[in-house]
């Protein structure tokens, strides 16, 4: 494979804070690399330097000559008066781009943007993100650099992008906290840890296993160094007269061991072990609730009784009413008709997408927390001061004195989470809690929620997070329709795909595997006969569907056989997803031809 990028001895610091030092790595054609690290370790900074938007303190970044590079930043701006179609057009158009407008419209449609003349100023953050993604794709890059591409996207668009990247031949370097996305798209994982980079050839699941092995080996090596250092220290103390030229090598070795022994392998993670307030048997009940905005129906005569310790996930396309539902529940909006009955012991904790803007930017971190409470109850026996509590969210005494306007996006999220949980709620509502949180913090949050002694509602596009936390879903399908699905998101998605295939087959009143001869027995309108070319296409599609079905069965059998090769498992998962997409496309085209056939 050809070398696409070479990074040599890259170093970057801000003041006395070193992000990474003497980092060296290469990227070859076809690599799909996921970059992971704690918040603040320099992931976005590294991408920005590689993309040429920021300068390193030292080192070099060299791309292969003539390479087209596309860069998706976390934040993006467009001229406010520009239309969607204007904004999506790349500055640097690829060669042979005569059909760029048609391709732009097709791509925007795939991403759920159909009003091409809408002003960018009227769009939501998630819609602007889709424009930015389409703009990068339209530039036809050889090398893609993506910084948190899944933030602010609904699950349907996340899955579309996941499938596109899986099939794309573009080389990829990406930062994302979406673990399913990493697993299904990436073939290599690179971690920034203690100012250095470590690379693992495999997907995210493989990286987790290998990282644990690396940390175990590092702990064992450190223990060995400290034991040896104790022996050498005793020799140094006993043998002052032996410190001549003959023992110089041993003295030098002693100082080298001292340096190695100072390595700090402690991993700093958020500590979440707070208790919750007592919650009674009555939580909330909805009775015939209706809500609409003009012709847009959110809830239609909706009734439901929420159970104690229930864990609910909410999914659906943007604009289907998820946020409105939460605001109705919290009393921030009033139903058009019907009502809610809330239990007397319910104590809300609401982590919202808009909550980050509620901080007074001029205040210090410690002062913002002390305004809420000077002391925090962890359990019946444990109380912490505001400062001690912030330590658990990785705000040490120095960080507590920082002004809020100086905090990074991840630090703001951690501070906001702290202010929500310090009130000891017994009913948590989390609206997109995974945005801007690193994977390590997400794992700790999931552990906390798994043992949370209260009720929980999660609105999220993070499929891994939903799978681990919730026991059923409300699927907002639009026009007031809410489906209550018992199970996690992955189970729902498989069921939904199967239902889609069955629905297509039912419309045809034929199964995808029926033979061409069976179909030709149907009466047809002579004025709408298929052309010879279309008949051949139908036969090809039928053969393809049989082939896809056979391959899928074979792969599923292999997957269920207990194989442990991580690379093969990843390959099978990616191919099964491709086969599902190919089957959907083939069935849809077959349906069109059959309708024409009559």
């Amino acid at each position: 494979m050809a070398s696409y990028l070479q990074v040599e001895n890259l170093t970057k610091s801000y003041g006395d804070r070193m992000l990474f030092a003497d980092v060296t790595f290469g990227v070859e054609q076809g690599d799909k690399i996921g970059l992971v690290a704690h918040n603040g370790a320099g992931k976005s900074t590294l991408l920005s330097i590689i993309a040429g938007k920021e300068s390193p303190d030292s080192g070099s970044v060299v791309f292969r000559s003539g390479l087209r590079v596309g860069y998706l930043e976390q934040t993006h701006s467009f001229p406010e008066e520009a239309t969607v179609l204007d904004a999506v057009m790349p500055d640097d158009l690829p060669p042979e781009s005569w059909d760029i407008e048609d391709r732009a419209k097709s791509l925007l449609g795939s991403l759920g943007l159909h009003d091409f003349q809408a002003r960018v100023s009227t769009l939501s953050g998630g819609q602007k993100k889709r424009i930015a993604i389409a703009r990068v794709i339209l530039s036809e890059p050889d090398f893609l650099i993506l910084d948190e591409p899944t933030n602010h996207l609904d699950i349907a668009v996340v899955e579309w992008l996941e499938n596109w990247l899986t099939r794309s031949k573009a080389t990829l370097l990406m930062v994302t906290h979406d673990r399913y996305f990493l697993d299904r798209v990436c073939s290599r994982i690179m971690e920034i840890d203690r100012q250095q980079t470590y690379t693992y050839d495999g997907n995210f699941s493989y990286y987790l296993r290998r990282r644990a092995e690396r940390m175990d080996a590092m702990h064992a090596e450190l223990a060995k160094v400290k034991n040896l250092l104790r022996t050498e220290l005793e020799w140094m103390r006993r043998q002052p007269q032996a410190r001549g030229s003959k023992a110089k090598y041993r003295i030098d070795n002693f100082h080298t061991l001292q340096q190695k022994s100072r390595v700090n392998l402690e991993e700093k993670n958020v500590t979440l072990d707070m208790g919750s307030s007592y919650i009674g048997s009555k939580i909330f009940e909805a009775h015939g609730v209706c809500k609409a905005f003009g012709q847009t129906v959110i809830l239609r005569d909706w009734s439901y009784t929420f159970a104690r310790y229930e864990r609910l996930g909410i999914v659906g396309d943007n604009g289907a009413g998820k946020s409105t539902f939460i605001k109705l529940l919290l009393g921030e909006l009033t139903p058009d008709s019907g009502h809610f009955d809330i239990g007397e012991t319910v104590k809300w904790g609401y982590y919202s997408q808009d909550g980050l803007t509620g901080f007074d930017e001029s205040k210090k971190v410690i002062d913002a927390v002390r305004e809420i409470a000077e002391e925090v109850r962890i359990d019946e026996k444990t109380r912490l001061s505001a400062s001690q509590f912030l330590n658990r969210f990785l705000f040490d005494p120095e960080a507590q004195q920082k002004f809020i306007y100086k905090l990074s996006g991840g630090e703001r999220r951690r501070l906001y989470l702290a202010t929500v949980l310090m009130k000891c709620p017994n009913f948590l509502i989390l609206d997109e809690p995974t945005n801007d949180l690193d994977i390590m913090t997400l794992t700790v949050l999931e552990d906390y929620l798994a043992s949370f002694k209260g009720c929980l509602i999660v609105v999220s596009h993070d499929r891994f997070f939903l799978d681990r936390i919730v026991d059923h879903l409300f699927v907002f399908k639009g026009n007031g329709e809410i489906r209550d699905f018992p199970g996690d998101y992955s189970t729902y998605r498989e069921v939904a795909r199967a239902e889609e295939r069955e629905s297509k087959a039912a419309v045809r009143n034929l199964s995808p595997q029926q033979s061409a001869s069976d179909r030709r027995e149907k009466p047809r309108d002579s004025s709408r006969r298929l052309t010879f070319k279309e008949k051949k296409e139908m036969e090809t599609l039928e053969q393809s569907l049989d082939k896809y079905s056979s391959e899928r069965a074979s792969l599923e059998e292999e997957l269920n056989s207990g194989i442990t090769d991580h690379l093969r498992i990843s390959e099978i998962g990616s191919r099964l997803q491709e086969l599902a997409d190919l089957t959907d496309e083939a069935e849809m085209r077959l349906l069109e031809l059959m309708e024409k056939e009559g």
Side-chain angles (χ1 to χ4, degrees):
M1 288 291 184
S3 174
Y4 267 15
L5 169 68
Q6 192 60 44
V7 174
E8 297 281 353
N9 301 319
L10 212 63
T11 298
K12 183 67 177 181
S13 61
Y14 290 111
D16 60 353
R17 179 166 160 254
M18 180 67 71
L19 292 181
F20 40 83
D22 295 320
V23 164
T24 297
F25 64 91
V27 179
E28 294 187 343
Q29 180 182 2
D31 279 346
K32 286 185 166 61
I33 302 174
L35 180 62
V36 300
H38 280 285
N39 282 342
K43 302 187 296 295
S44 293
T45 301
L46 180 58
L47 293 192
S48 181
I49 291 172
I50 292 172
K53 300 292 185 179
E54 197 169 341
S55 299
D57 298 338
S58 61
S60 63
V61 175
V62 180
F63 281 100
R64 179 182 177 182
S65 178
L67 211 63
R68 295 182 65 85
V69 179
Y71 177 38
L72 179 74
E73 302 181 63
Q74 278 199 51
T75 57
H76 30 266
S77 60
F78 305 104
E80 289 296 292
E81 293 307 307
T83 65
V84 169
L85 194 57
D86 292 335
V88 80
M89 293 299 179
D91 294 327
D92 181 20
L93 290 175
E96 298 179 9
S97 54
W98 57 271
D99 62 342
I100 188 70
E101 185 171 318
D102 289 340
R103 288 192 289 117
K105 290 178 178 178
S106 175
L107 184 54
L108 288 168
S110 297
L111 291 167
L113 294 171
H114 304 285
D115 186 353
F116 307 134
Q117 298 306 314
R119 298 289 177 185
V120 172
S121 57
T122 66
L123 303 182
S124 67
Q127 290 171 320
K128 290 178 182 177
K129 183 87 168 189
R130 297 184 213 182
I131 293 175
I133 290 171
R135 182 183 173 92
V136 170
I137 291 175
L138 282 172
S139 69
E140 297 183 6
D142 305 304
F143 193 117
L144 268 172
I145 302 173
L146 307 180
D147 194 356
E148 294 290 5
T150 67
N151 272 4
H152 310 295
L153 299 181
D154 58 45
I155 293 180
V157 177
V158 169
E159 291 180 337
W160 181 91
L161 181 60
E162 182 181 278
N163 294 334
W164 187 89
L165 287 172
T166 300
R167 295 194 298 264
S168 172
K169 294 181 180 179
T171 299
L172 173 67
L173 178 60
M174 169 180 66
V175 169
T176 182
H177 63 263
D178 189 316
R179 287 149 290 183
Y180 280 159
F181 205 82
L182 283 168
D183 245 0
R184 293 165 182 171
V185 172
C186 295
S187 56
R188 292 173 66 193
I189 302 295
M190 185 164 65
E191 179 188 15
I192 302 177
D193 184 29
R194 296 169 181 84
Q195 303 169 4
Q196 298 297 309
T197 56
Y198 300 86
T199 302
Y200 302 83
D201 291 328
N203 63 9
F204 183 71
S205 297
Y206 175 72
Y207 150 76
L208 288 178
R209 295 194 298 272
R210 290 299 306 274
R211 184 185 189 277
E213 292 170 5
R214 175 172 69 84
M215 294 308 299
D216 288 343
M218 289 174 70
H219 280 287
E221 178 64 22
L222 184 59
K224 182 179 177 181
V225 166
K226 288 184 175 180
N227 285 334
L228 187 55
L229 181 63
R230 280 193 288 270
T231 302
E232 293 299 287
L233 183 59
E234 290 174 8
W235 177 84
M236 291 283 283
R237 287 171 176 167
R238 288 199 315 268
Q239 304 289 338
Q241 71 279 8
R243 296 184 190 175
S245 58
K246 291 183 179 180
K248 186 177 184 304
Y249 76 94
R250 192 163 182 180
I251 296 170
D252 290 342
N253 186 55
F254 170 77
H255 292 303
T256 301
L257 289 171
Q258 270 190 320
Q259 287 296 112
K260 289 183 177 180
S261 71
R262 290 173 185 150
V263 174
N264 182 9
L265 295 182
E266 178 187 357
E267 300 211 64
K268 293 183 177 180
N269 280 318
V270 172
T271 303
L272 301 179
D273 58 0
M274 292 78 72
S276 58
S277 303
Y278 168 78
I279 189 166
S281 57
K282 181 178 179 180
I283 313 302
F284 82 75
E285 298 171 357
H287 300 279
V289 176
C290 296
K291 185 65 180 179
F293 296 99
Q295 299 299 312
T296 304
V297 179
I298 306 299
L299 294 176
R300 180 184 284 111
D301 194 25
W302 184 72
S303 298
Y304 188 78
T305 300
F306 209 91
R308 199 179 189 188
Y309 306 136
E310 191 166 328
R311 298 170 181 277
L312 168 68
I314 296 181
V315 297
D317 292 341
N318 289 341
K322 303 187 297 292
S323 295
T324 300
F325 172 79
I326 296 299
K327 291 176 180 177
L328 285 166
L329 184 59
L330 292 170
E332 296 179 7
L333 287 176
T334 304
D336 298 335
S337 60
H339 65 281
F340 292 99
D341 285 339
I342 310 297
E344 293 181 359
T345 61
V346 170
K347 188 175 182 181
W348 301 110
Y350 181 33
Y351 182 99
S352 72
Q353 295 188 61
D354 302 326
L356 294 176
T357 62
F359 289 119
D360 184 339
E361 300 278 313
S362 65
K363 290 188 183 301
K364 294 180 179 178
V365 170
I366 185 65
D367 294 333
V369 171
R370 280 176 176 159
E371 279 189 355
I372 299 172
E374 291 280 350
E375 187 178 79
V376 181
R377 181 182 74 86
I378 301 301
D379 53 41
E380 293 302 322
K381 298 179 180 179
T382 310
R383 300 287 189 276
L384 296 179
S385 68
S387 178
Q388 290 172 322
F389 183 69
L390 279 170
N391 262 308
R392 292 177 165 228
F393 286 81
L394 306 186
F395 290 100
D396 59 25
E398 182 180 352
Q400 292 173 24
Q401 297 302 317
K402 288 173 70 172
F403 289 100
I404 291 175
Y405 73 85
K406 291 187 176 181
L407 299 181
S408 67
E411 288 173 328
R412 284 171 178 258
R413 290 278 176 180
R414 275 191 277 119
L415 177 59
Y416 182 37
L417 185 61
T419 61
V420 171
L421 297 183
M422 69 185 294
K423 300 170 186 176
C424 294
N426 54 28
F427 198 133
L428 274 174
I429 298 177
L430 306 177
D431 191 357
E432 297 293 1
T434 67
N435 287 345
D436 295 320
L437 291 181
D438 59 54
I439 291 172
M440 296 74 172
T441 302
L442 280 177
T443 302
V444 175
L445 177 58
E446 288 164 356
D447 289 340
Y448 167 72
L449 294 175
S451 59
F452 178 65
K453 302 301 183 186
C455 294
L456 180 66
I457 293 179
V458 177
V459 182
S460 181
H461 67 265
D462 190 318
R463 298 156 294 174
F464 189 101
F465 192 82
L466 289 170
D467 280 354
R468 188 165 178 210
I469 298 304
V470 308
D471 50 35
H472 75 117
L473 300 172
F474 279 176
V475 183
F476 279 67
K477 304 179 79 66
N479 198 32
E481 181 184 354
I482 300 176
R483 178 179 182 179
D484 188 356
F485 181 84
D488 60 22
Y489 178 78
S490 290
T491 305
Y492 163 72
R493 193 71 186 97
E494 287 303 313
V495 169
R497 282 176 174 156
E499 290 173 346
E500 287 171 11
R501 288 192 287 269
E502 289 173 6
S503 177
K504 291 172 186 174
V507 170
R508 302 194 305 265
N509 198 26
L510 295 166
S511 70
Q513 286 74 34
Q514 280 184 278
S515 67
S517 59
D518 290 337
R519 291 190 175 100
R520 282 195 290 270
E521 290 174 4
K522 289 180 61 177
R524 66 182 75 175
D525 183 347
S526 60
S527 65
R528 301 176 63 201
R529 289 182 183 277
L530 294 178
T531 66
F532 176 77
K533 183 178 179 181
E534 287 172 331
K535 289 179 181 178
K536 295 298 291 184
E537 184 184 1
M538 276 188 71
E539 292 177 5
T540 301
L541 287 168
E542 291 159 357
Q543 292 167 3
S544 295
L545 285 168
D546 288 340
K547 184 178 70 174
Y548 298 153
S549 178
S550 176
E551 184 181 356
R552 185 166 60 246
S554 176
L555 289 173
E556 288 172 348
E557 182 179 350
E558 183 179 353
L559 197 61
N560 294 329
S561 68
I563 62 170
T564 58
D565 184 330
H566 67 280
L567 290 176
R568 181 57 183 156
I569 292 173
S570 178
E571 289 171 2
I572 292 173
S574 297
R575 182 56 180 162
L576 283 173
Q577 182 60 60
E578 289 177 4
L579 288 171
D581 295 336
L582 289 169
T583 299
D584 287 344
E585 291 171 8
E587 287 181 344
M588 185 61 71
R589 176 57 180 158
L590 196 57
L591 178 60
E592 292 172 0
L593 292 172
M594 291 179 65
E595 287 175 345
K596 182 176 179 180
E597 186 184 31

